[in-house]
Amino acid sequence: MKSPQRKPTISDVAREAQLALSTVSNALAGKRYVREETRAHVLAVAERLGYQASRVAQALRTGRSGAVGLLVADVSNPSMTDTVKGAETVLAKAGLMTLLCNTGGSEERQLDYMEMLLSRNVDGMILISQHVGPAVRKLLETVPHVLVQRRLPDGADYYVGSESRGAIESVLQHLTSLGHRRIAFVKGPVESSSASDRLAAFIDETRRRAIDVPADYIVAGDYSMQSGRSAAEKLLVLKNRPTAIVCTSDLTALGVLEYSEEAGLQVPDDLSVTGFDDISVVGLRRVGLTTVQQPRAEMGKKAAEVLAKLIEGKPVRQKNFELETRLVVRSTTGPAR
Amino acid sequence: MKSPQRKPTISDVAREAQLALSTVSNALAGKRYVREETRAHVLAVAERLGYQASRVAQALRTGRSGAVGLLVADVSNPSMTDTVKGAETVLAKAGLMTLLCNTGGSEERQLDYMEMLLSRNVDGMILISQHVGPAVRKLLETVPHVLVQRRLPDGADYYVGSESRGAIESVLQHLTSLGHRRIAFVKGPVESSSASDRLAAFIDETRRRAIDVPADYIVAGDYSMQSGRSAAEKLLVLKNRPTAIVCTSDLTALGVLEYSEEAGLQVPDDLSVTGFDDISVVGLRRVGLTTVQQPRAEMGKKAAEVLAKLIEGKPVRQKNFELETRLVVRSTTGPAR
DNA sequence: CTGAAAGCGCTTACAG
DNA sequence: CTGAAAGCGCTTACAG
């Protein structure tokens, strides 16, 4: 009579099957030469006892935990959430569990999490828009990892992002074709490489089109809705007010819209606004935001695919993956007055 | 000279500190009687070597993994995402890591995940809107757990939800005060206890107010935007068309709005619509959805708090937590014509 | 093809 | 207050 509480272990299976522990292990793993009958017998006994191998013991013995750390600034931010889901789904298929770490954008919390992950022997990490300073890199050296949306300029890491330059280019193409020449820009967080890519693209593209961008047309932001509001607040009091505002996140664009409409402006008659991401709600006709569609779920999936390969020791030749973006024109952009 | 690759283990610390392994372990754990000087010495050596205890080894030895499974149907669904974040944050503070499991609403995947979690010796589980059938309950028996938003009628589990009845009551109070008598209702998924709570409340409250609800005023839905669209499609062709549609999720309400406006109706002049959740975007003036605010983050936090206590073996007397909801009136509801 | 033994890195009685 | 030893549940050379 076994205690009903205790989970059966591999020894229980071995005893019940009248075989050595190692034979059971080999049979279960499907490795080495185990006679077909033996294996079948082992499997049957394991099944009957309801045996489930302890991943904890396996992890200790093999050094591989079958788990991956997923670090993200804010899981509840709609522009991250699909990436998280995409990554988790692919990881699960690859037999890897996801340890979710919501860092809130704090480097300290990020480092704490990373150490916890390392003490749990994670097989790898995915960092979505995380800090990549020296302390972080130090820890990353010891483990396979993929960076998403934020990287270091040296390009030494595996990186998945989206194509910034083409995106900004298509936004400017669209706005200038509507006659806009006074175009402002709301930046993303300074630490973010994708934010600086977009800014650089904006500067280059406006220059190329001989569009003059006064210094006060470029305002700070951090991808949040609130930063959109304050950006709008600053831009709309300018003497030579912009006729269009390019935002680098949908939430920011929504903040700009909200503030501008509260201030009595008509969109798009008085002001055109563009976003970045195409989060689900902005496609509603009530919102109708013109924006750059980013393949958010695909970015998560791609990052997970690359990481899974790295973990399995398969080579991944390409280091940088810049997925394609696409401009979606809706109703927040119109002809310049 | 140590290999730079290998992480230091407790033996390394013991050797370096010239002490027995067990003394180091005791010093680090802060347990038992270890002389202050000894402890200080151990700590210093551990620090110097950069020693981090292996959680994997600890988990195997103690049976406690310090990890918790968080099961959710869809992390990218804005009505779940704050709950996930709230739970993760509180768990992290309690020293528990979160294993994220995106089940996609499939009971099979849920069960697979649960077995994986069990094989990893998780200390507990939080199930957000998950299945709670016999197979699931069987597995739950072996581990502390808290259910969120969906429970079994027997009330045997710890449960965190939101107050459905008062919410529906306030919606009906609001609509009837605007003169609505033809009020339709879009249901949530049938397996969901909160969905059935809301339906029951709707039926009771309309009856109490002597409002007649024809059978075809109550239509199926699953909280998704798409189900809102199809619900609207069905409702708007009825001969005796409703003047108001009560939805049990914001996404559904957005779907209803979208379809109705495409069909040429004016909201709220031709039709009033209410939601449930108050996800962030519906508060924008462009959307302006009248809805029931649910304390989503708090639900996650509460669930995590309860679970953390259960794991620490502290008693939690209250089994059911129904957090308060609040009606937020915006611009999708108006007088019945 | 099968079995006996060591060991992954810890914690915890137990003895001193 | 400190140390020697067993054991958590596995996998993996190694020998047969």
Side-chain angles (χ1 to χ4, degrees), chain A residues 8-311:
Chain A
T9 71
I10 197 169
S11 323
D12 297 324
V13 179
R15 192 178 330 109
E16 200 72 11
Q18 314 244 52
L19 284 166
L21 219 103
S22 47
T23 305
V24 174
S25 174
N26 284 323
L28 256 23
K31 276 190 197 168
R32 295 248 307 243
Y33 304 89
V34 177
R35 237 193 323 162
E36 250 329 306
E37 309 164 36
T38 316
R39 186 201 308 290
H41 182 218
V42 168
L43 260 38
V45 172
E47 172 79 43
R48 179 156 54 80
L49 297 185
Y51 170 73
Q52 280 275 86
S54 157
R55 297 297 317 248
V56 175
Q58 290 179 329
L60 180 60
R61 178 59 229 235
T62 64
R64 287 193 42 175
S65 63
V68 156
L70 181 65
L71 294 106
V72 60
D74 181 3
V75 243
S76 74
N77 185 322
S79 73
M80 323 249 81
T81 217
D82 285 319
T83 307
V84 170
K85 181 179 168 185
E88 197 276 345
T89 305
V90 170
L91 290 172
K93 276 187 195 141
L96 294 162
M97 290 229 70
T98 300
L99 283 157
L100 176 66
C101 306
N102 196 84
T103 63
S106 141
E107 183 162 16
E108 192 189 332
R109 289 189 59 193
Q110 184 187 335
L111 286 166
D112 285 350
Y113 269 121
M114 288 178 73
E115 296 204 326
M116 294 175 66
L117 292 171
L118 257 15
S119 78
R120 284 173 186 281
N121 277 7
V122 287
D123 297 334
M125 295 189 195
I126 294 178
L127 282 76
I128 306 177
S129 299
Q130 295 295 288
H131 294 274
V132 284
V136 171
R137 314 219 80 238
K138 186 100 198 290
L139 293 176
L140 284 180
E141 273 170 19
T142 60
V143 66
H145 60 276
V146 178
L147 305 181
V148 179
Q149 290 278 58
R150 194 181 294 180
R151 73 184 147 191
L152 236 44
D154 60 15
D157 307 280
Y158 287 92
Y159 169 78
V160 176
S162 66
E163 217 279 283
S164 296
R165 188 155 296 266
I168 294 295
E169 195 180 327
S170 59
V171 168
L172 285 174
Q173 167 62 36
H174 171 61
L175 290 175
T176 51
S177 76
L178 289 168
H180 293 277
R181 305 288 298 171
R182 304 210 307 271
I183 306 176
F185 183 87
V186 185
K187 296 192 281 189
V190 282
E191 330 85 66
S192 164
S193 58
S194 55
S196 24
D197 287 354
R198 291 172 200 171
L199 174 59
F202 179 78
I203 291 173
D204 292 352
E205 284 301 318
T206 45
R207 183 167 304 154
R208 203 166 66 77
R209 291 161 195 274
I211 294 172
D212 180 51
V213 182
D216 48 13
Y217 267 28
I218 295 186
V219 301
D222 61 4
Y223 288 159
S224 73
M225 201 179 302
Q226 183 49 47
S227 78
R229 293 187 63 96
S230 18
E233 196 176 350
K234 279 177 208 131
L235 289 168
L236 299 184
V237 296
L238 293 181
K239 270 192 297 257
N240 197 21
R241 207 167 71 188
T243 61
I245 301 180
V246 173
C247 301
T248 44
S249 106
D250 281 350
L251 288 180
T252 301
L254 293 175
V256 168
L257 281 177
E258 189 79 354
Y259 183 88
S260 309
E261 291 177 345
E262 277 172 27
L265 293 185
Q266 295 281 27
V267 173
D269 297 347
D270 302 322
L271 179 74
S272 285
V273 178
T274 69
F276 214 105
D277 259 350
D278 199 28
I279 60 176
S280 67
V281 291
V282 304
L284 294 170
R285 20 163 73 217
R286 290 208 152 216
V287 182
L289 182 68
T290 294
T291 193
V292 173
Q293 190 173 84
Q294 280 202 95
R296 296 188 308 284
E298 280 64 35
M299 287 167 57
K301 287 182 188 170
K302 175 56 85 179
E305 281 163 16
V306 171
L307 186 63
K309 279 188 190 160
L310 293 175
I311 289 173

Side-chain angles (χ1 to χ4, degrees), chain B residues 180 236 242-245 256 260 265-273 332:
Chain B
H180 292 277
L236 299 184
T243 60
I245 301 180
V256 167
S260 310
L265 293 186
Q266 294 281 28
V267 173
D269 297 348
D270 302 322
L271 179 73
S272 285
V273 178
T332 58

Side-chain angles (χ1 to χ4, degrees), chain B residues 10 22 25 32 51 54 58 61:
Chain B
I10 196 168
S22 48
S25 174
R32 294 244 312 241
Y51 170 72
S54 158
Q58 290 179 330
R61 178 59 229 238

Side-chain angles (χ1 to χ4, degrees), chain B residues 93 114 143 168 178 205 225 254 268 314 318:
Chain B
K93 276 189 194 139
M114 289 178 72
V143 67
I168 294 296
L178 289 168
E205 285 300 318
M225 200 177 308
L254 292 175
K314 292 184 194 158
Q318 197 176 338

Side-chain angles (χ1 to χ4, degrees), chain B residues 296-317:
Chain B
R296 297 187 310 284
E298 281 63 36
M299 286 166 59
K301 287 183 189 172
K302 175 57 86 180
E305 282 163 16
V306 171
L307 186 63
K309 279 188 191 161
L310 293 175
I311 289 173
E312 289 168 27
K314 292 184 194 158
V316 180
R317 278 191 225 302

